[in-house]
Amino acid sequence: MKCFKCERKAVIELQNGPYCKEHFFYQLEEKITKTIKKYHLIDIEDKVCVATSGGKDSLTVLYFTNLFCKERNIPIFALMIDEGILGYRNKTKEDLELFCKNFDIELHTASFKEVFGKTLDELSPVAYEKFGKKPCTICGVFRRVLLNVYARKLGATKLVTGHNQDDESQAFIMNVIQGHQKQNAALGPMAGLNDNEKYVRRIKPLYFVSEKESRVFCLLKNFKVDFAECPYITQSYRADIRDAINTLEEKYPATKSGIIKSFLEIMPELKQKYNSSNNNPDNSVKDNPNNKFKYCERCNEPCSGDVCNACKIIEELDCTPISKEILESKKSKQHKHT
Ligand code: SF4
């Protein structure tokens, strides 16, 4: 197969045709830069924190966000949360450390063990046995709160995640099936519904990039990356949705981009609807008739009810509460987009 833009050998076939290595790299950078600019994801006065695990998507997003920021003198650093998943996270952590060293990127880490006193491997069996909670539920809640409080503590004004087209189409379909339209309102290239002084806005430069593209990109760039999946993924609902969408994509190409296109069409209305009825930024709230942010009575982080999900899990599983020193750090001034 030859590249449809030149006569060179193709390395990947995308929806609009086969690409050689050079044209693939070019279209990827162009697509990511266009997403950042179109959705006003990064401003010249931002300080950018890239949430990264060392996997293919997070290395891809770190690579391109680093390029974008360094070309414009925008401060950037990487943040990794180590959940404590033996045989998995320790490997991706090594890859990430090497990557950050090679590209001269400041790397910060925080771990479940040092903050909550226990690793995910230690928490998972008890959580399931006592409360029927799956590892991804614990992991998602703890990781989300740690990314926010550490990004804030380190002065970030934007928090980049490696969510790609596959992740976003899965999330949208999951929410539709479960009837969680409010969670759908918080999706999109700029996540959440509005700003809050304690919440670092999450952005997704890989919104239009497929998982296949980030895998091929990492391979062609010879990044040291472990393509193995987290051992807990098979226990999640998301894995079933992912497999179903992948089967559809194989049979009916452009299924994923079609899902994303459909979501983007209704996104403004969804955001407007839930923005006016509920100001919770991470959209974890089901109903907040007061139209105001609520804060957890234990940790004082934004939350839906009186006590946030992280504090509930901390109590159930007898973990150490997040220290005041981390929680009390103030977010840097949020800059307006240009
Ligand atoms: Fe955490 Fe689940 Fe993702 Fe593993 S698959 S890193 S347990 S959310």
Side-chain angles (χ1 to χ4, degrees), residues 21 25 63-64 103 216-224:
K21 187 171 154 182
F25 285 178
Y63 177 86
F64 284 107
F103 289 95
V216 172
F217 177 72
C218 289
L219 283 169
L220 292 173
K221 278 280 183 187
N222 282 323
F223 293 156
K224 189 172 175 297

Side-chain angles (χ1 to χ4, degrees), residues 83 85 88-89 120 135-136 139-140 143 230 232-233:
E83 307 90 344
I85 305 171
Y88 173 66
R89 186 57 75 221
L120 187 63
C136 293
C139 181
R143 208 168 36 160
C230 170
Y232 293 121
I233 186 83

Side-chain angles (χ1 to χ4, degrees), residues 16-260:
N16 56 347
Y19 282 86
C20 67
K21 187 171 154 182
E22 287 72 17
H23 280 112
F24 169 56
F25 285 178
Y26 179 77
Q27 74 84 32
L28 196 53
E29 184 175 354
E30 199 181 47
K31 185 155 59 174
I32 293 168
T33 307
K34 202 170 148 198
T35 304
I36 295 175
K37 288 184 174 173
K38 182 175 177 186
Y39 293 94
H40 310 291
L41 301 187
I42 298 175
D43 178 73
I44 201 80
E45 291 180 305
D46 271 323
K47 181 171 182 181
V48 176
C49 168
V50 182
T52 174
S53 62
K56 63 185 185 336
D57 298 313
S58 63
L59 290 191
T60 303
V61 82
L62 184 54
Y63 177 86
F64 284 107
T65 312
N66 185 48
L67 265 188
F68 183 92
C69 288
K70 291 212 169 131
E71 274 171 11
R72 294 162 179 81
N73 282 324
I74 297 170
I76 178 171
F77 66 90
L79 172 62
M80 190 221 191
I81 307 297
D82 182 352
E83 307 90 344
I85 305 171
L86 197 64
Y88 173 66
R89 186 57 75 221
N90 45 320
K91 284 189 194 160
T92 68
K93 192 176 174 191
E94 270 176 37
D95 296 342
L96 177 63
E97 282 164 352
L98 180 69
F99 184 92
C100 288
K101 196 172 156 224
N102 288 346
F103 289 95
D104 193 23
I105 300 168
E106 191 182 304
L107 172 65
H108 296 266
T109 56
S111 73
F112 283 13
K113 184 78 176 175
E114 69 195 27
V115 177
F116 301 112
K118 291 173 187 170
T119 63
L120 187 63
D121 286 341
E122 288 165 342
L123 292 168
S124 292
V126 190
Y128 192 70
E129 220 170 88
K130 282 194 173 172
F131 305 99
K133 284 193 169 121
K134 293 188 175 173
C136 293
T137 307
I138 312 291
C139 181
V141 170
F142 276 1
R143 208 168 36 160
R144 195 176 181 85
V145 72
L146 288 191
L147 283 174
N148 190 54
V149 294
Y150 273 89
R152 190 174 74 210
K153 181 178 154 66
L154 294 161
T157 52
K158 292 286 167 52
L159 178 59
V160 173
T161 67
H163 290 98
N164 58 28
Q165 187 188 59
D166 293 57
D167 301 318
E168 289 294 295
S169 55
Q170 289 156 19
F172 178 61
I173 296 298
M174 273 164 69
N175 289 335
V176 168
I177 293 172
Q178 294 175 318
H180 296 159
Q181 276 297 62
K182 196 178 275 184
Q183 268 92 328
N184 269 339
L187 296 177
M190 169 85 78
L193 293 169
N194 39 27
D195 291 325
N196 172 276
E197 57 167 7
K198 295 196 125 192
Y199 189 74
V200 184
R201 207 73 193 260
R202 284 163 197 244
I203 56 170
K204 303 166 192 166
L206 299 191
Y207 194 79
F208 297 98
V209 174
S210 66
E211 204 176 293
K212 175 178 163 184
E213 285 173 274
S214 59
R215 189 184 320 116
V216 172
F217 177 72
C218 289
L219 283 169
L220 292 173
K221 278 280 183 187
N222 282 323
F223 293 156
K224 189 172 175 297
V225 57
D226 188 350
F227 290 97
E229 285 190 323
C230 170
Y232 293 121
I233 186 83
T234 51
Q235 299 179 37
S236 71
Y237 179 52
R238 179 182 280 269
D240 292 335
I241 298 292
R242 178 194 62 183
D243 295 346
I245 296 177
N246 282 345
T247 306
L248 285 172
E249 177 78 38
E250 237 172 71
K251 210 167 167 188
Y252 309 104
T255 292
K256 293 172 191 174
S257 56
I259 295 171
I260 292 293

